[in-house]
Amino acid sequence: MKNLSARRTLTGVVLLLGLCSLETQAQQKAPTFTRQDTLRGTITPERAWWDLTYYHLDIRVNPADSSIHGKNTIRYKVQEPYQIMQIDLQPPMRMERVMQNGKQLNVRQEGNAYFVQLVDAQQKGAQNEVEVYYGGKPQVSENPPWSGGITWKRDERGKPFIASSNQGDGASLWWPCKDHMYDEPDSMLISVAVPKELTNVSNGRLRGIDNNPNGTRTFHWAVTNPINNYGVNINIGDYVQFGEKYQGEKGVLDCDYWVIRDNLEKAKEQFKEVPRTLQAFEHWFGPYPFYEDSYKLVEAPYLGMEHQSSVTYGNGYQNGYRGRDLSGTGWGLKFDFIIIHESAHEWFANNITYKDVADMWVHEGFTAYSESLFLDYHYGTQAGNEYTIGKRASIKNDRPLIGHYNVNHAGSGDMYNKGANMLHTLRQIVNDDEKFRGILRGLNRDFYHQTVTTQQIENYLSKHTGRDLSRFFDQYLRDIRIPELEYRVEKKKLTYRWANAVEGFDMPVKVYLNGVETWLEPTTNWKEIKKIKAGTKLTIDPNFYVQDGKGA
Ligand SMILES: [Zn+2]
């Protein structure tokens, strides 16, 4: 879950581009980026040489002074010998010392990046580790989950209710890590000490609880699958737990629900949504990708986020998006938006993860479309169609869906609803729902637990649809214009072409000629059909996200 409208670095750009919404990307003025953006968003030489294999994040969270202290043990495999390692940690958190093989290492700080000078030789293929000690009062989130940081709240009984959320801004807001999405540890242990009357819920499975002499308890959560860094989370509160076993495609899936004590009864009712969510998404996308780590819904003091195997929930135990239907069709009130949307991210975000946030449409486009697929599964194709078409009203076409690479820059917030409408249009082109479903399942199988680029996804879709979709993706991902089908009926001749489109745009489109289904293969050059009835009326299938250029 991530709405980008509040992203501080983009505000000026959005205003600027709003004035010239018909320009193509090439004509738009590029935003400016800093060296810090490059250090954050690039696979720098100080990152590239080591492959992350394991994290043990071991921290104490102190609600009394809103601080976090502890260490992260980082294990890695040497790909190429190199002696400088980049670790990220954002002020006001401070790195206190870095150790390797019992030696304290010299560290040079440059803003959010720390460059650690390793002493011992780094031999190719070796498995090494560093321990990073750190602490401080992390940034407080002003508007979770859209602005990153820690949320320090209290529940209605006055007990601390605390959570992290940091997509986009970065996990290094609160713990030291390789804060770039291309590399994930193969597994992770998250150990969090909190005052003994509270519980911490993180990702994966609860391996044990230690009672400490200082009046705290440490919760150890083990994740046995690769995990992206923004997915790692802490949720601390007066939690109670219930659960169920879901009979899924890969066997029994443990589903555990952690909610604030007073919300138990409401949660038992509302979370009946989970089995039917899993049923719909296993149908469309294939097996839930983290059976080993279980599925969890965890109540959070903000709307929600796709934390891996620890989906956070704050939708107020009601259907819709905070009780509203984002599509304006009524279908959005048939389900709890946060449960459906954030759970779908287990496939598109946590299973298949972008390497660069510029390709964030891969997470949000497929996930926004999953809402329609959920409706399709439970209420029929027409329901899903209406929902997706209904969400067009909120598309701005302000900037392309793809952002700038290597500077931690995401594309337009249209990646949600325009992304969904692009995929819905693609589904019409495929014109075979079983084939389309096979492709969605194939993506999750062939890119299982991987980080990807948009190009990999685009190539996969071209290959498996059997059609070169490069112009299609250029149009919808890299341009802001919505293609317009221009056509004229003159006497007994129909002429048609794509206008307002990228060069060579060649998408087929389903139309009705006097109500009779007909496929056209327009290009940006005029084509014609002869010998139609005079006065034939053409209507475009409304499932295609295009403009009707009648009378052009
Ligand atoms: Zn999302």
Side-chain angles (χ1 to χ4, degrees), residues 308-360:
Q308 184 173 313
S309 67
S310 171
V311 173
T312 45
Y313 177 85
N315 199 34
Y317 302 101
Q318 60 190 327
N319 279 0
Y321 179 97
R322 289 178 161 144
R324 289 186 290 122
D325 171 17
L326 296 182
S327 75
T329 62
W331 289 114
L333 296 176
K334 295 287 185 191
F335 58 90
D336 185 316
F337 179 92
I338 291 299
I339 296 176
I340 274 66
H341 181 97
E342 307 307 341
S343 297
H345 274 309
E346 295 282 13
W347 285 263
F348 291 97
N350 296 335
N351 188 35
I352 304 174
T353 307
Y354 57 69
K355 273 190 199 319
D356 190 309
V357 71
D359 293 335
M360 191 169 163

Side-chain angles (χ1 to χ4, degrees), residues 1-3 167 305-306 337 341-342 345 348 360 363-364 367-368 371 416:
M1 172 76 222
K2 187 75 186 178
N3 177 321
Q167 190 185 14
M305 178 56 75
E306 64 257 27
F337 179 92
H341 181 97
E342 307 307 341
H345 274 309
F348 291 97
M360 191 169 163
H363 294 196
E364 299 302 349
T367 296
E371 300 153 24
Y416 292 78

Side-chain angles (χ1 to χ4, degrees), residues 170-206:
S172 57
L173 274 176
W174 62 280
W175 58 286
C177 57
K178 183 190 253 190
D179 206 352
H180 192 292
M181 294 290 287
Y182 86 100
D183 196 5
E184 297 182 354
D186 306 320
S187 63
M188 180 165 184
L189 181 61
I190 305 161
S191 302
V192 182
V194 296
K196 65 174 186 300
E197 67 277 14
L198 300 175
T199 295
N200 172 68
V201 186
S202 289
N203 315 76
R205 289 182 189 267
L206 184 58

Side-chain angles (χ1 to χ4, degrees), residues 61-254:
V61 179
N62 187 358
D65 66 357
S66 306
S67 71
I68 296 178
H69 286 89
K71 71 169 177 175
N72 188 21
T73 302
I74 303 173
R75 243 176 246 162
Y76 60 94
K77 187 174 177 189
V78 178
Q79 309 274 69
E80 289 300 327
Y82 204 79
Q83 294 301 123
I84 304 171
M85 170 181 260
Q86 180 180 342
I87 308 282
D88 306 287
L89 183 66
Q90 300 180 37
M93 299 304 275
R94 293 179 320 276
M95 206 174 278
E96 288 159 357
R97 66 181 192 282
V98 183
M99 307 290 293
Q100 184 164 60
N101 301 327
K103 298 186 201 79
Q104 186 168 343
L105 304 172
N106 286 328
V107 174
R108 178 176 67 83
Q109 183 184 359
E110 187 178 347
N112 300 335
Y114 290 77
F115 296 95
V116 180
Q117 181 70 54
L118 300 167
V119 175
D120 293 341
Q122 306 294 311
Q123 280 161 354
K124 186 168 181 167
Q127 293 267 4
N128 297 336
E129 70 177 41
V130 291
E131 294 166 300
V132 182
Y133 292 81
Y134 78 109
K137 295 184 181 180
Q139 178 171 304
V140 175
S141 176
E142 288 172 7
N143 183 25
W146 297 284
S147 78
I150 306 292
T151 300
W152 308 87
K153 277 196 173 170
R154 289 185 178 270
D155 69 15
E156 289 186 359
R157 293 189 187 207
K159 298 254 178 78
F161 189 17
I162 300 160
S164 62
S165 56
N166 50 251
Q167 190 185 14
D169 298 286
S172 57
L173 274 176
W174 62 280
W175 58 286
C177 57
K178 183 190 253 190
D179 206 352
H180 192 292
M181 294 290 287
Y182 86 100
D183 196 5
E184 297 182 354
D186 306 320
S187 63
M188 180 165 184
L189 181 61
I190 305 161
S191 302
V192 182
V194 296
K196 65 174 186 300
E197 67 277 14
L198 300 175
T199 295
N200 172 68
V201 186
S202 289
N203 315 76
R205 289 182 189 267
L206 184 58
R207 184 178 280 177
I209 305 171
D210 298 337
N211 288 297
N212 305 316
N214 65 1
T216 63
R217 290 193 295 170
T218 304
F219 293 81
H220 300 283
W221 290 89
V223 180
T224 62
N225 285 307
I227 182 167
N228 67 50
N229 48 25
Y230 84 80
V232 174
N233 77 150
I234 51 172
N235 301 282
I236 298 162
D238 180 22
Y239 282 107
V240 290
Q241 182 262 342
F242 65 107
E244 64 184 303
K245 308 247 181 235
Y246 177 75
Q247 291 290 338
E249 287 195 12
K250 267 174 79 173
V252 176
L253 173 61
D254 295 312

